[in-house]
mmCIF file with all atom_site columns, all heavy atoms in Angstrom:
data_model
loop_
_atom_site.group_PDB
_atom_site.id
_atom_site.type_symbol
_atom_site.label_atom_id
_atom_site.label_alt_id
_atom_site.label_comp_id
_atom_site.label_asym_id
_atom_site.label_entity_id
_atom_site.label_seq_id
_atom_site.pdbx_PDB_ins_code
_atom_site.Cartn_x
_atom_site.Cartn_y
_atom_site.Cartn_z
_atom_site.occupancy
_atom_site.B_iso_or_equiv
_atom_site.pdbx_formal_charge
_atom_site.auth_seq_id
_atom_site.auth_comp_id
_atom_site.auth_asym_id
_atom_site.auth_atom_id
_atom_site.pdbx_PDB_model_num
ATOM   1   N N   . GLN C 1 61  ? -9.577  -47.108 6.548  1.00 0.00 ? 66  GLN C N   1
ATOM   2   C CA  . GLN C 1 61  ? -9.768  -45.696 6.091  1.00 0.00 ? 66  GLN C CA  1
ATOM   3   C C   . GLN C 1 61  ? -8.449  -45.125 5.615  1.00 0.00 ? 66  GLN C C   1
ATOM   4   O O   . GLN C 1 61  ? -7.389  -45.856 5.735  1.00 0.00 ? 66  GLN C O   1
ATOM   5   C CB  . GLN C 1 61  ? -10.435 -44.810 7.070  1.00 0.00 ? 66  GLN C CB  1
ATOM   6   C CG  . GLN C 1 61  ? -11.755 -45.404 7.638  1.00 0.00 ? 66  GLN C CG  1
ATOM   7   C CD  . GLN C 1 61  ? -12.749 -45.632 6.512  1.00 0.00 ? 66  GLN C CD  1
ATOM   8   O OE1 . GLN C 1 61  ? -12.892 -44.778 5.582  1.00 0.00 ? 66  GLN C OE1 1
ATOM   9   N NE2 . GLN C 1 61  ? -13.414 -46.782 6.558  1.00 0.00 ? 66  GLN C NE2 1
ATOM   10  N N   . THR C 1 62  ? -8.406  -43.933 5.116  1.00 0.00 ? 67  THR C N   1
ATOM   11  C CA  . THR C 1 62  ? -7.129  -43.319 4.629  1.00 0.00 ? 67  THR C CA  1
ATOM   12  C C   . THR C 1 62  ? -7.053  -41.845 5.252  1.00 0.00 ? 67  THR C C   1
ATOM   13  O O   . THR C 1 62  ? -8.107  -41.236 5.461  1.00 0.00 ? 67  THR C O   1
ATOM   14  C CB  . THR C 1 62  ? -7.050  -43.235 3.143  1.00 0.00 ? 67  THR C CB  1
ATOM   15  O OG1 . THR C 1 62  ? -8.094  -42.563 2.624  1.00 0.00 ? 67  THR C OG1 1
ATOM   16  C CG2 . THR C 1 62  ? -7.082  -44.659 2.527  1.00 0.00 ? 67  THR C CG2 1
ATOM   17  N N   . ILE C 1 63  ? -5.820  -41.403 5.405  1.00 0.00 ? 68  ILE C N   1
ATOM   18  C CA  . ILE C 1 63  ? -5.648  -40.004 5.556  1.00 0.00 ? 68  ILE C CA  1
ATOM   19  C C   . ILE C 1 63  ? -5.491  -39.487 4.191  1.00 0.00 ? 68  ILE C C   1
ATOM   20  O O   . ILE C 1 63  ? -4.826  -39.978 3.280  1.00 0.00 ? 68  ILE C O   1
ATOM   21  C CB  . ILE C 1 63  ? -4.342  -39.817 6.333  1.00 0.00 ? 68  ILE C CB  1
ATOM   22  C CG1 . ILE C 1 63  ? -3.927  -38.246 6.583  1.00 0.00 ? 68  ILE C CG1 1
ATOM   23  C CG2 . ILE C 1 63  ? -3.087  -40.507 5.775  1.00 0.00 ? 68  ILE C CG2 1
ATOM   24  C CD1 . ILE C 1 63  ? -2.805  -38.011 7.599  1.00 0.00 ? 68  ILE C CD1 1
ATOM   25  N N   . SER C 1 64  ? -6.252  -38.397 3.878  1.00 0.00 ? 69  SER C N   1
ATOM   26  C CA  . SER C 1 64  ? -6.310  -37.945 2.535  1.00 0.00 ? 69  SER C CA  1
ATOM   27  C C   . SER C 1 64  ? -4.975  -37.409 2.017  1.00 0.00 ? 69  SER C C   1
ATOM   28  O O   . SER C 1 64  ? -4.116  -37.053 2.750  1.00 0.00 ? 69  SER C O   1
ATOM   29  C CB  . SER C 1 64  ? -7.276  -36.652 2.405  1.00 0.00 ? 69  SER C CB  1
ATOM   30  O OG  . SER C 1 64  ? -8.558  -37.103 2.783  1.00 0.00 ? 69  SER C OG  1
ATOM   31  N N   . GLY C 1 88  ? -16.022 -36.723 8.359  1.00 0.00 ? 93  GLY C N   1
ATOM   32  C CA  . GLY C 1 88  ? -14.983 -37.614 8.166  1.00 0.00 ? 93  GLY C CA  1
ATOM   33  C C   . GLY C 1 88  ? -13.701 -37.124 8.863  1.00 0.00 ? 93  GLY C C   1
ATOM   34  O O   . GLY C 1 88  ? -12.850 -36.699 8.123  1.00 0.00 ? 93  GLY C O   1
ATOM   35  N N   . GLY C 1 90  ? -11.428 -38.834 10.379 1.00 0.00 ? 95  GLY C N   1
ATOM   36  C CA  . GLY C 1 90  ? -10.388 -39.691 10.021 1.00 0.00 ? 95  GLY C CA  1
ATOM   37  C C   . GLY C 1 90  ? -9.249  -39.607 11.007 1.00 0.00 ? 95  GLY C C   1
ATOM   38  O O   . GLY C 1 90  ? -9.378  -39.703 12.190 1.00 0.00 ? 95  GLY C O   1
ATOM   39  N N   . SER C 1 91  ? -8.025  -39.246 10.509 1.00 0.00 ? 96  SER C N   1
ATOM   40  C CA  . SER C 1 91  ? -6.859  -38.997 11.235 1.00 0.00 ? 96  SER C CA  1
ATOM   41  C C   . SER C 1 91  ? -6.853  -37.803 12.197 1.00 0.00 ? 96  SER C C   1
ATOM   42  O O   . SER C 1 91  ? -6.101  -37.557 13.039 1.00 0.00 ? 96  SER C O   1
ATOM   43  C CB  . SER C 1 91  ? -5.609  -39.050 10.398 1.00 0.00 ? 96  SER C CB  1
ATOM   44  O OG  . SER C 1 91  ? -5.707  -37.861 9.554  1.00 0.00 ? 96  SER C OG  1
ATOM   45  N N   . GLU C 1 109 ? -17.123 -38.223 12.927 1.00 0.00 ? 114 GLU C N   1
ATOM   46  C CA  . GLU C 1 109 ? -16.502 -39.497 12.413 1.00 0.00 ? 114 GLU C CA  1
ATOM   47  C C   . GLU C 1 109 ? -17.349 -40.738 12.751 1.00 0.00 ? 114 GLU C C   1
ATOM   48  O O   . GLU C 1 109 ? -17.960 -40.771 13.924 1.00 0.00 ? 114 GLU C O   1
ATOM   49  C CB  . GLU C 1 109 ? -15.056 -39.622 12.940 1.00 0.00 ? 114 GLU C CB  1
ATOM   50  C CG  . GLU C 1 109 ? -14.325 -40.988 12.692 1.00 0.00 ? 114 GLU C CG  1
ATOM   51  C CD  . GLU C 1 109 ? -14.259 -41.262 11.229 1.00 0.00 ? 114 GLU C CD  1
ATOM   52  O OE1 . GLU C 1 109 ? -13.772 -40.433 10.362 1.00 0.00 ? 114 GLU C OE1 1
ATOM   53  O OE2 . GLU C 1 109 ? -14.789 -42.368 10.809 1.00 0.00 ? 114 GLU C OE2 1
ATOM   54  N N   . ARG C 1 110 ? -17.585 -41.597 11.887 1.00 0.00 ? 115 ARG C N   1
ATOM   55  C CA  . ARG C 1 110 ? -18.433 -42.775 12.185 1.00 0.00 ? 115 ARG C CA  1
ATOM   56  C C   . ARG C 1 110 ? -17.704 -43.981 12.665 1.00 0.00 ? 115 ARG C C   1
ATOM   57  O O   . ARG C 1 110 ? -18.298 -45.005 13.009 1.00 0.00 ? 115 ARG C O   1
ATOM   58  C CB  . ARG C 1 110 ? -19.359 -43.117 10.912 1.00 0.00 ? 115 ARG C CB  1
ATOM   59  C CG  . ARG C 1 110 ? -18.597 -43.760 9.812  1.00 0.00 ? 115 ARG C CG  1
ATOM   60  C CD  . ARG C 1 110 ? -19.704 -44.154 8.692  1.00 0.00 ? 115 ARG C CD  1
ATOM   61  N NE  . ARG C 1 110 ? -20.540 -45.248 8.975  1.00 0.00 ? 115 ARG C NE  1
ATOM   62  C CZ  . ARG C 1 110 ? -20.069 -46.513 8.983  1.00 0.00 ? 115 ARG C CZ  1
ATOM   63  N NH1 . ARG C 1 110 ? -18.798 -46.803 8.803  1.00 0.00 ? 115 ARG C NH1 1
ATOM   64  N NH2 . ARG C 1 110 ? -21.002 -47.529 9.123  1.00 0.00 ? 115 ARG C NH2 1
ATOM   65  N N   . GLN C 1 111 ? -16.414 -44.004 12.547 1.00 0.00 ? 116 GLN C N   1
ATOM   66  C CA  . GLN C 1 111 ? -15.591 -45.129 13.086 1.00 0.00 ? 116 GLN C CA  1
ATOM   67  C C   . GLN C 1 111 ? -15.179 -44.751 14.513 1.00 0.00 ? 116 GLN C C   1
ATOM   68  O O   . GLN C 1 111 ? -14.379 -43.792 14.736 1.00 0.00 ? 116 GLN C O   1
ATOM   69  C CB  . GLN C 1 111 ? -14.332 -45.465 12.285 1.00 0.00 ? 116 GLN C CB  1
ATOM   70  C CG  . GLN C 1 111 ? -14.631 -45.772 10.782 1.00 0.00 ? 116 GLN C CG  1
ATOM   71  C CD  . GLN C 1 111 ? -15.160 -47.188 10.649 1.00 0.00 ? 116 GLN C CD  1
ATOM   72  O OE1 . GLN C 1 111 ? -15.066 -48.022 11.531 1.00 0.00 ? 116 GLN C OE1 1
ATOM   73  N NE2 . GLN C 1 111 ? -15.667 -47.481 9.375  1.00 0.00 ? 116 GLN C NE2 1
ATOM   74  N N   . LEU C 1 114 ? -11.306 -44.440 15.160 1.00 0.00 ? 119 LEU C N   1
ATOM   75  C CA  . LEU C 1 114 ? -10.767 -43.187 14.651 1.00 0.00 ? 119 LEU C CA  1
ATOM   76  C C   . LEU C 1 114 ? -11.155 -41.951 15.438 1.00 0.00 ? 119 LEU C C   1
ATOM   77  O O   . LEU C 1 114 ? -10.478 -40.988 15.597 1.00 0.00 ? 119 LEU C O   1
ATOM   78  C CB  . LEU C 1 114 ? -11.120 -43.031 13.195 1.00 0.00 ? 119 LEU C CB  1
ATOM   79  C CG  . LEU C 1 114 ? -10.453 -44.038 12.193 1.00 0.00 ? 119 LEU C CG  1
ATOM   80  C CD1 . LEU C 1 114 ? -10.987 -43.924 10.763 1.00 0.00 ? 119 LEU C CD1 1
ATOM   81  C CD2 . LEU C 1 114 ? -9.021  -43.945 12.223 1.00 0.00 ? 119 LEU C CD2 1
ATOM   82  N N   . ASP C 1 136 ? -23.166 -40.242 12.521 1.00 0.00 ? 141 ASP C N   1
ATOM   83  C CA  . ASP C 1 136 ? -23.317 -40.362 11.069 1.00 0.00 ? 141 ASP C CA  1
ATOM   84  C C   . ASP C 1 136 ? -23.391 -39.083 10.407 1.00 0.00 ? 141 ASP C C   1
ATOM   85  O O   . ASP C 1 136 ? -24.300 -38.202 10.615 1.00 0.00 ? 141 ASP C O   1
ATOM   86  C CB  . ASP C 1 136 ? -24.660 -41.166 10.757 1.00 0.00 ? 141 ASP C CB  1
ATOM   87  C CG  . ASP C 1 136 ? -24.847 -41.299 9.344  1.00 0.00 ? 141 ASP C CG  1
ATOM   88  O OD1 . ASP C 1 136 ? -24.058 -40.871 8.516  1.00 0.00 ? 141 ASP C OD1 1
ATOM   89  O OD2 . ASP C 1 136 ? -25.995 -41.841 9.027  1.00 0.00 ? 141 ASP C OD2 1
ATOM   90  N N   . GLY C 1 137 ? -22.397 -38.750 9.567  1.00 0.00 ? 142 GLY C N   1
ATOM   91  C CA  . GLY C 1 137 ? -22.228 -37.507 8.904  1.00 0.00 ? 142 GLY C CA  1
ATOM   92  C C   . GLY C 1 137 ? -23.470 -37.118 7.931  1.00 0.00 ? 142 GLY C C   1
ATOM   93  O O   . GLY C 1 137 ? -23.638 -35.958 7.708  1.00 0.00 ? 142 GLY C O   1
ATOM   94  N N   . THR C 1 153 ? -15.122 -35.338 3.493  1.00 0.00 ? 158 THR C N   1
ATOM   95  C CA  . THR C 1 153 ? -13.924 -35.930 3.121  1.00 0.00 ? 158 THR C CA  1
ATOM   96  C C   . THR C 1 153 ? -13.992 -37.368 2.781  1.00 0.00 ? 158 THR C C   1
ATOM   97  O O   . THR C 1 153 ? -12.986 -38.039 2.730  1.00 0.00 ? 158 THR C O   1
ATOM   98  C CB  . THR C 1 153 ? -12.802 -35.720 4.190  1.00 0.00 ? 158 THR C CB  1
ATOM   99  O OG1 . THR C 1 153 ? -13.117 -36.483 5.270  1.00 0.00 ? 158 THR C OG1 1
ATOM   100 C CG2 . THR C 1 153 ? -12.643 -34.201 4.670  1.00 0.00 ? 158 THR C CG2 1
ATOM   101 N N   . MET C 1 208 ? -18.378 -42.602 1.621  1.00 0.00 ? 213 MET C N   1
ATOM   102 C CA  . MET C 1 208 ? -19.160 -42.113 2.688  1.00 0.00 ? 213 MET C CA  1
ATOM   103 C C   . MET C 1 208 ? -20.286 -43.085 3.018  1.00 0.00 ? 213 MET C C   1
ATOM   104 O O   . MET C 1 208 ? -21.135 -43.356 2.129  1.00 0.00 ? 213 MET C O   1
ATOM   105 C CB  . MET C 1 208 ? -19.810 -40.778 2.382  1.00 0.00 ? 213 MET C CB  1
ATOM   106 C CG  . MET C 1 208 ? -20.575 -40.129 3.496  1.00 0.00 ? 213 MET C CG  1
ATOM   107 S SD  . MET C 1 208 ? -21.029 -38.379 3.131  1.00 0.00 ? 213 MET C SD  1
ATOM   108 C CE  . MET C 1 208 ? -22.016 -37.967 4.535  1.00 0.00 ? 213 MET C CE  1
ATOM   109 N N   . LEU C 1 209 ? -20.153 -43.732 4.193  1.00 0.00 ? 214 LEU C N   1
ATOM   110 C CA  . LEU C 1 209 ? -21.003 -44.971 4.517  1.00 0.00 ? 214 LEU C CA  1
ATOM   111 C C   . LEU C 1 209 ? -22.241 -44.424 5.331  1.00 0.00 ? 214 LEU C C   1
ATOM   112 O O   . LEU C 1 209 ? -22.207 -43.483 6.045  1.00 0.00 ? 214 LEU C O   1
ATOM   113 C CB  . LEU C 1 209 ? -20.278 -45.957 5.344  1.00 0.00 ? 214 LEU C CB  1
ATOM   114 C CG  . LEU C 1 209 ? -18.932 -46.507 4.594  1.00 0.00 ? 214 LEU C CG  1
ATOM   115 C CD1 . LEU C 1 209 ? -18.179 -47.331 5.581  1.00 0.00 ? 214 LEU C CD1 1
ATOM   116 C CD2 . LEU C 1 209 ? -19.386 -47.258 3.361  1.00 0.00 ? 214 LEU C CD2 1
HETATM 117 N N1  . LIG M 2 .   ? -10.106 -35.909 6.638  1.00 0.00 ? 26  LIG M N1  1
HETATM 118 C C1  . LIG M 2 .   ? -9.633  -37.262 6.916  1.00 0.00 ? 26  LIG M C1  1
HETATM 119 C C2  . LIG M 2 .   ? -10.086 -38.235 5.787  1.00 0.00 ? 26  LIG M C2  1
HETATM 120 C C3  . LIG M 2 .   ? -10.316 -39.516 6.285  1.00 0.00 ? 26  LIG M C3  1
HETATM 121 S S1  . LIG M 2 .   ? -11.084 -40.712 5.014  1.00 0.00 ? 26  LIG M S1  1
HETATM 122 C C4  . LIG M 2 .   ? -8.076  -37.359 6.984  1.00 0.00 ? 26  LIG M C4  1
HETATM 123 O O1  . LIG M 2 .   ? -7.435  -36.712 6.128  1.00 0.00 ? 26  LIG M O1  1
HETATM 124 O O2  . LIG M 2 .   ? -7.536  -38.241 7.706  1.00 0.00 ? 26  LIG M O2  1
HETATM 125 C C5  . LIG M 2 .   ? -12.803 -40.335 5.232  1.00 0.00 ? 26  LIG M C5  1
HETATM 126 C C6  . LIG M 2 .   ? -13.319 -40.551 6.612  1.00 0.00 ? 26  LIG M C6  1
HETATM 127 O O3  . LIG M 2 .   ? -14.788 -40.469 6.613  1.00 0.00 ? 26  LIG M O3  1
HETATM 128 C C7  . LIG M 2 .   ? -13.128 -41.900 7.268  1.00 0.00 ? 26  LIG M C7  1
HETATM 129 O O4  . LIG M 2 .   ? -12.397 -41.753 8.441  1.00 0.00 ? 26  LIG M O4  1
HETATM 130 C C8  . LIG M 2 .   ? -14.475 -42.526 7.343  1.00 0.00 ? 26  LIG M C8  1
HETATM 131 O O5  . LIG M 2 .   ? -14.598 -43.387 8.499  1.00 0.00 ? 26  LIG M O5  1
HETATM 132 C C9  . LIG M 2 .   ? -15.338 -41.308 7.426  1.00 0.00 ? 26  LIG M C9  1
HETATM 133 N N2  . LIG M 2 .   ? -16.691 -41.460 7.048  1.00 0.00 ? 26  LIG M N2  1
HETATM 134 C C10 . LIG M 2 .   ? -17.226 -42.207 6.089  1.00 0.00 ? 26  LIG M C10 1
HETATM 135 N N3  . LIG M 2 .   ? -18.638 -42.160 6.141  1.00 0.00 ? 26  LIG M N3  1
HETATM 136 C C11 . LIG M 2 .   ? -18.911 -41.364 7.117  1.00 0.00 ? 26  LIG M C11 1
HETATM 137 C C12 . LIG M 2 .   ? -20.226 -40.865 7.691  1.00 0.00 ? 26  LIG M C12 1
HETATM 138 N N4  . LIG M 2 .   ? -21.369 -41.238 7.111  1.00 0.00 ? 26  LIG M N4  1
HETATM 139 N N5  . LIG M 2 .   ? -20.108 -39.984 8.733  1.00 0.00 ? 26  LIG M N5  1
HETATM 140 C C13 . LIG M 2 .   ? -18.953 -39.621 9.223  1.00 0.00 ? 26  LIG M C13 1
HETATM 141 N N6  . LIG M 2 .   ? -17.792 -40.045 8.792  1.00 0.00 ? 26  LIG M N6  1
HETATM 142 C C14 . LIG M 2 .   ? -17.792 -40.966 7.717  1.00 0.00 ? 26  LIG M C14 1
#
Side-chain angles (χ1 to χ4, degrees):
Q66 304 303 319
T67 57
I68 179 171
S69 296
S96 65
E114 173 55 55
R115 76 179 281 291
Q116 300 285 350
L119 291 174
D141 180 4
T158 71
M213 183 169 174
L214 301 174

